[in-house]
Amino acid sequence: MAFLTEPEPQRGVALPVLDGIRRIVARNPSVMTYLGTNTYLIDGPDGLTVLDPGPDDDEHVADILRALDGGKLPRIVLTHTHSDHLGATAKLQAATGAEVYAYRISAKPGFEPDKPLDDGDEVAGLKAVFTPGHAADHLSFEFLVPGTGKILFSGDHVMSWSSSIVSPPDGDMVAYYKSLNLLLGRDEILYAPGHGPLLPEPRELVAELLSHRQSREASILEALREREWTVADLAEHLYHKTDFRLKMAAQRNVLAHLLKLEHDGKVVQVNGQKASALPGDHVPDDLPPGNEKDVSKAQRNMMWEDSARRFAYAG
Ligand SMILES: [Zn+2]
């Protein structure tokens, strides 16, 4: 696929992106987050907005405050509540008194936005477009940039540098397909993603992402016509990843495809039993999605059990 790369950005500085839009790239580079999370500073009709405060990192919060240069921050807007986007929110809010806007039903236990947003709601020139799939509470935002035209802050739904992980139950492949199709029918000329550089001619990549998923789905169905597979074995068969985190990401994507195929009536799960206990020593902290440091033992157990789920062709 036609993914983009960019040189490592200057750290700790708000770099100009487009007229009235700057970006601070957080210091959380990884195989899941590219060079780091993009925190956008957007000048709008009602003052400044920070879109996605980024990970819980004091240095990053200090970088954002320095970029504000003593100016007021009336609001923080979130594309979704994964920790590499939400993490710095509480500290930034405490330092600035900003109100937090996010999708009305939070996928993060314990987090509630001050100002819940729904599809079509508008705040400071940012118009919310509900795009679940990567995350159940994912919003993209349409924004008109003077002299450029309509752009979309696409969060982690569509990124310039990589495809997105779809990790159930927060991630949902049925919703992801639907949200990609939704973007194919829209007319923004440029996407500003949650990770990576600006994406020109964005619908070309959206179409590629969709056809990539469809061919992956076809390969999964073909493999299942031959025999039953566990999630782990099928991910190994299809992805050949060696890095542990990418291996886990591949398993989450395969499971998401299998659950979509189950939803479509094409496959069935054939075992309900739990996998054996989690071998804690072999599981690093930074499991997908994002480079979450706060993946709980329960979530890790869930991922481990999911890897042993076995599926068969429904005929
Ligand atoms: Zn992210």
Side-chain angles (χ1 to χ4, degrees), residues 9-253:
Q10 197 184 346
R11 299 290 171 179
V13 178
L15 305 162
V17 176
L18 291 166
D19 193 21
I21 303 174
R22 292 172 293 157
R23 163 176 82 134
I24 304 175
V25 182
R27 297 165 158 105
N28 61 334
S30 79
V31 290
M32 301 301 300
T33 57
Y34 193 44
L35 299 170
T37 304
N38 290 330
T39 293
Y40 290 101
L41 286 80
I42 305 162
D43 294 320
D46 303 309
L48 196 65
T49 299
V50 164
L51 180 72
D52 287 348
D56 182 6
D57 167 16
D58 290 345
E59 219 179 339
H60 184 59
V61 174
D63 294 338
I64 298 171
L65 293 174
R66 198 174 327 108
L68 296 178
D69 197 22
K72 276 180 51 157
L73 180 65
R75 76 194 68 78
I76 293 165
V77 177
L78 292 166
T79 58
H80 62 301
T81 56
H82 288 166
S83 65
D84 59 319
H85 299 255
L86 170 74
T89 301
K91 283 172 185 167
L92 186 62
Q93 181 172 37
T96 61
E99 288 190 301
V100 180
Y101 293 70
Y103 186 62
R104 62 189 175 85
I105 304 166
S106 169
K108 185 85 167 181
F111 171 76
E112 291 287 337
D114 302 316
K115 302 277 183 184
L117 292 174
D118 206 347
D119 183 60
D121 285 351
E122 195 167 331
V123 51
L126 293 159
K127 190 169 181 187
V129 184
F130 185 44
T131 45
H134 168 71
D137 57 7
H138 195 289
L139 294 172
S140 301
F141 292 94
E142 177 195 311
F143 189 73
L144 183 64
V145 181
T148 297
K150 244 195 286 177
I151 71 160
L152 188 78
F153 289 99
S154 55
D156 288 5
H157 175 46
V158 174
M159 301 185 289
S160 50
W161 76 284
S162 168
S163 58
S164 307
I165 181 174
V166 179
S167 179
D170 176 34
D172 179 328
M173 195 61 81
V174 176
Y176 180 68
Y177 274 49
K178 211 174 146 193
S179 295
L180 287 179
N181 275 310
L182 177 76
L183 294 196
L184 286 178
R186 298 181 60 90
D187 60 358
E188 289 86 4
I189 57 165
L190 200 59
Y191 288 1
H195 306 263
L198 285 178
L199 176 65
E201 292 166 16
R203 276 178 303 283
E204 285 183 17
L205 184 66
V206 173
E208 273 188 73
L209 289 168
L210 197 55
S211 72
H212 170 72
R213 294 294 182 165
Q214 284 159 342
S215 74
R216 186 65 84 193
E217 182 179 306
S219 310
I220 288 174
L221 208 49
E222 199 180 293
L224 282 157
R225 277 205 189 93
E226 302 292 319
R227 64 174 176 88
E228 296 176 8
W229 291 84
T230 64
V231 169
D233 288 346
L234 190 50
E236 191 71 42
H237 175 67
L238 294 169
Y239 285 82
H240 318 291
K241 296 289 184 192
T242 48
D243 182 289
F244 184 87
R245 288 160 298 183
L246 294 178
K247 219 184 253 279
M248 288 306 293
Q251 288 187 13
R252 304 313 294 168
N253 280 329

Side-chain angles (χ1 to χ4, degrees), residues 279-297:
D281 292 351
H282 305 290
V283 182
D285 288 337
D286 51 348
L287 286 168
N291 64 341
E292 308 231 9
K293 296 290 180 223
D294 59 353
V295 174
S296 68
K297 185 82 198 265

